Amino acid sequence: MNDALRTEMRRDAQVVVMGEDGGKMSKSKRNYREPNEIFDRYGADALRWYFFANQPPWTSIRYSEQAIKDCIPEFLLRLWNVYSFFVTYARLAGWRPDDAAPPVGERPTLDRWILSRLAGLAARVEDRLADYDPDAAAGSVSRFIDELSTWYLRRTRRRFSRAGDAADRAAAFATLHAVLVGLVRVAAPLLPFLSEAIYQSLAVRGEVAAPDSVHLTHWPTAEL
């Protein structure tokens, strides 16, 4: 779709949020759930992700509580599991963000690959958000987390063991830490609360010289 057609569609669009019964949401029909009930049950980020990731924001959307529920294990939980893995092994190994690690150019191919993928993600998401295209931005974030969990972590998890080579272990910890911090900086406009929780743990309480909030950081592109 070219930019002119996309702009025209946005201008003419009449966005309607429909209830699960297929009708337009309205107070008279009461075909909606109170937002606070959804926040309490699934979290605000799950609801945000549902609206961002399913279709362009200038088109009508049918509300689905089941779809909100489904995005938790499919996406949010996968990100949290990678973060939990890192925190668990970092504590067991006594690793700290200021520990020495090999330069990026001297790290294994998988480390350099995932860092390059993160840099590409930051560029794509910045471009899509600038074009008011959050569903494409969300899709890029989701695919990256799948690569991080399925390809990178699954193939490098043995490197985090204390029985492994010390230099290689340091490279693995430094790489995964950098990727997680960079990822939540990219995801922060879409997942503000989960991103902030992970950032606070890894960057602020991790004793790294960093802004007090993920929402105060610069966009991560060139430095990756």
Side-chain angles (χ1 to χ4, degrees):
M1 182 185 300
N2 60 50
D3 291 341
L5 179 57
R6 185 188 294 274
T7 301
E8 189 66 25
M9 289 176 63
R10 292 171 180 165
R11 184 181 300 117
D12 295 339
Q14 294 183 349
V15 178
V16 175
V17 179
M18 296 175 291
E20 292 190 290
D21 60 357
K24 180 180 178 181
M25 278 191 177
S26 67
K27 291 183 177 179
S28 60
K29 293 181 179 180
R30 296 292 298 177
N31 59 343
Y32 65 92
R33 293 284 298 276
E34 289 292 338
N36 285 338
E37 293 180 23
I38 301 300
F39 298 159
D40 291 342
R41 179 170 296 184
Y42 306 112
D45 278 347
L47 180 61
R48 288 173 63 91
W49 188 258
Y50 169 70
F51 283 115
F52 282 139
N54 279 278
Q55 55 191 359
W58 58 87
T59 62
S60 298
I61 186 170
R62 183 169 180 171
Y63 170 83
S64 169
E65 185 170 337
Q66 184 61 44
I68 297 171
K69 181 180 179 180
D70 289 344
C71 81
I72 296 174
E74 290 178 1
F75 172 72
L76 299 179
L77 195 56
R78 201 178 337 149
L79 170 57
W80 189 260
N81 285 341
V82 175
Y83 159 73
S84 296
F85 172 90
F86 172 83
V87 169
T88 298
Y89 277 82
R91 287 174 177 168
L92 288 173
W95 184 85
R96 296 163 56 91
D98 55 358
D99 285 354
V104 172
E106 298 176 11
R107 296 181 194 178
T109 301
L110 270 175
D111 289 352
R112 290 181 279 118
W113 171 77
I114 197 64
L115 288 168
S116 72
R117 295 294 291 170
L118 176 61
L121 172 72
R124 287 193 302 276
V125 172
E126 182 180 29
D127 178 69
R128 290 299 84 215
L129 291 180
D131 196 39
Y132 299 98
D133 195 3
D135 58 314
S140 293
V141 172
S142 182
R143 287 189 293 273
F144 177 83
I145 292 174
D146 185 60
E147 291 178 343
L148 177 62
S149 174
T150 304
W151 290 96
Y152 178 77
L153 191 57
R154 185 173 295 178
R155 286 159 177 76
T156 60
R157 60 187 308 128
R158 292 182 180 178
R159 299 169 58 202
F160 295 89
S161 170
R162 286 181 290 183
D165 177 76
D168 186 52
R169 184 172 66 249
F173 275 120
T175 298
L176 188 52
H177 181 270
V179 168
L180 284 170
V181 172
L183 173 58
V184 296
R185 290 166 64 190
V186 172
L190 306 172
L191 300 167
F193 302 104
L194 180 60
S195 295
E196 181 69 11
I198 294 176
Y199 178 84
Q200 287 294 321
S201 173
L202 298 183
V204 176
R205 290 196 295 272
E207 300 181 20
V208 175
D212 292 337
S213 169
V214 69
H215 304 291
L216 299 177
T217 61
H218 294 293
W219 191 260
T221 48
E223 75 269 25
L224 297 175

